[in-house]
Amino acid sequence: MWVAVLTLFPDMFKAITEHGVTSRAIDEGKLEINLWNPRDFSKNKYQSVDDRPFGGGPGMVMQVEPLLGALEAAKAAAASLGKQAKVVYLSPQGKVLSQKAVNTFAKHDALILIAGRYEGIDERFIETFVDEEWSIGDYVLSGGELACMVLLDAIIRQLPEALGHDDSAYFDSFAEGNQGLLDCPHYTRPEVILAKPVPEVLLSGHHEKIKDWRLQQSVLRTLERRPDILEQLKKQDALSKDVEKILSQLLKETEADLK
Ligand code: SAM
């Protein structure tokens, strides 16, 4: 996958290009990240990229011209590889990112991500050049770099063979292997710590029982922490028979406790 990011702070991306699973995927060529700084395209002698908002008010606004220079350079680089990239602006006003959206992003061949700063970007640039606006949640960051990195990290986990078998994304929360539910709890050595033993079933070596226990834990966690996910799956008629059975058992137990 080919990605370009338009950012005033390219060094921030070392967080994902130089560390962990993301850096390994980049080194192995699963994803290529190209960074374009709008400041390099400023025609102004101070290389400024922002100006005061029309109508007054606090803060500054990113100007069209430096961003357009960076966008054209990124599009030309994509075109030289025969790729046409979707242009995505990370913004608190976009659609809120979900695992489903990330999985769709991971199928793209090329993306151009835009990280805003200050009060944001001149609206005329967004209207003219941005294909999609995406938010990483209902809160406001100081800049779009972290949001771009969140999206890229999540995409990388979905790229074929980007993760080793041991950290496969297939059984993560929200993933297919977990039937869209939250992941089960995990334990490692030693068997007893903080006066807490590991749940016995995990030491049994009985694969079917372990699988059943994990599913039961996933359903329980989702019920306790994110009942909205279960509601949603129910509405979509996407609850498996196994999950329905566990759920009705859990609900019966809760009713019995209340009596
Ligand atoms: N004035 C803008 C507003 O209230 O909608 C916020 C601008 S914010 C300080 C600066 C930049 O951070 C934005 O242009 C955007 O790129 C990024 N940003 C902030 N919060 C974000 C979020 N929740 N998701 C994605 N990007 C975000």
Side-chain angles (χ1 to χ4, degrees):
M1 183 177 203
W2 183 94
V3 176
V5 185
L6 313 192
T7 167
L8 292 173
F9 295 96
D11 278 357
M12 285 180 72
F13 286 80
K14 286 181 182 165
I16 58 168
T17 59
E18 294 187 1
H19 302 276
V21 161
T22 48
S23 128
R24 191 177 70 206
I26 292 164
D27 289 347
E28 288 172 357
K30 307 247 164 29
L31 179 101
E32 181 184 328
I33 300 185
N34 304 275
L35 301 162
W36 302 92
N37 190 338
R39 205 172 290 287
D40 297 335
F41 297 87
S42 169
K43 298 206 171 81
N44 170 307
K45 74 173 173 184
Y46 302 107
Q47 282 199 296
S48 67
V49 292
D50 57 313
D51 209 332
R52 289 187 305 274
F54 279 122
M60 304 294 270
V61 178
M62 286 180 80
Q63 294 173 289
V64 169
E65 283 166 321
L67 271 170
L68 182 53
L71 180 64
E72 282 172 345
K75 279 189 171 173
S80 73
L81 300 168
K83 296 177 191 293
Q84 221 197 345
K86 175 170 274 191
V87 179
V88 177
Y89 173 40
L90 278 299
S91 147
Q93 299 179 27
K95 278 181 279 185
V96 179
L97 203 60
S98 63
Q99 189 63 54
K100 197 167 161 211
V102 167
N103 294 355
T104 306
F105 272 121
K107 293 189 183 112
H108 282 79
D109 185 34
L111 288 173
I112 297 176
L113 306 182
I114 304 174
R117 280 272 155 181
Y118 316 116
E119 286 305 316
I121 294 178
D122 188 311
E123 193 63 25
R124 293 165 292 185
F125 179 90
I126 301 171
E127 285 168 5
T128 315
F129 299 110
V130 170
D131 296 317
E132 291 181 12
E133 258 180 83
W134 283 90
S135 163
I136 62 161
D138 290 344
Y139 42 82
V140 176
L141 304 165
S142 313
E145 285 75 13
L146 289 171
C148 287
M149 285 189 271
V150 165
L151 175 58
L152 288 171
D153 185 305
I155 288 175
I156 287 170
R157 295 183 67 73
Q158 301 305 321
L159 296 180
E161 292 164 36
L163 302 183
H165 172 71
D166 287 347
D167 38 15
S168 162
Y170 185 73
F171 292 107
D172 279 343
S173 296
F174 320 115
E176 209 183 315
N178 255 327
Q179 305 194 41
L181 305 172
L182 299 183
D183 197 3
C184 63
H186 299 282
Y187 301 86
T188 187
R189 271 182 263 270
E191 277 182 33
V192 181
I193 194 155
L194 308 171
K196 291 168 188 275
V198 172
E200 228 175 278
V201 62
L202 297 179
L203 305 172
S204 68
H206 197 301
H207 297 304
E208 270 311 300
K209 279 188 185 161
I210 293 173
K211 200 170 143 217
D212 290 349
W213 179 85
R214 286 186 167 149
L215 181 60
Q216 211 221 1
Q217 291 295 312
S218 280
V219 177
L220 179 62
R221 299 214 130 178
T222 313
L223 184 64
E224 285 173 350
R225 300 178 184 198
R226 293 290 305 276
D228 58 300
I229 293 179
L230 289 167
E231 281 300 318
Q232 196 61 31
L233 290 169
K234 203 169 173 182
K235 262 190 215 149
Q236 295 163 351
D237 210 12
L239 286 179
S240 71
K241 289 271 166 292
D242 287 349
V243 171
E244 273 180 357
K245 201 170 143 196
I246 296 168
L247 253 181
S248 73
Q249 185 60 38
L250 286 169
L251 293 171
K252 260 189 222 152
E253 282 169 22
T254 319
E255 274 167 28
D257 285 350
L258 289 174
K259 277 182 191 162

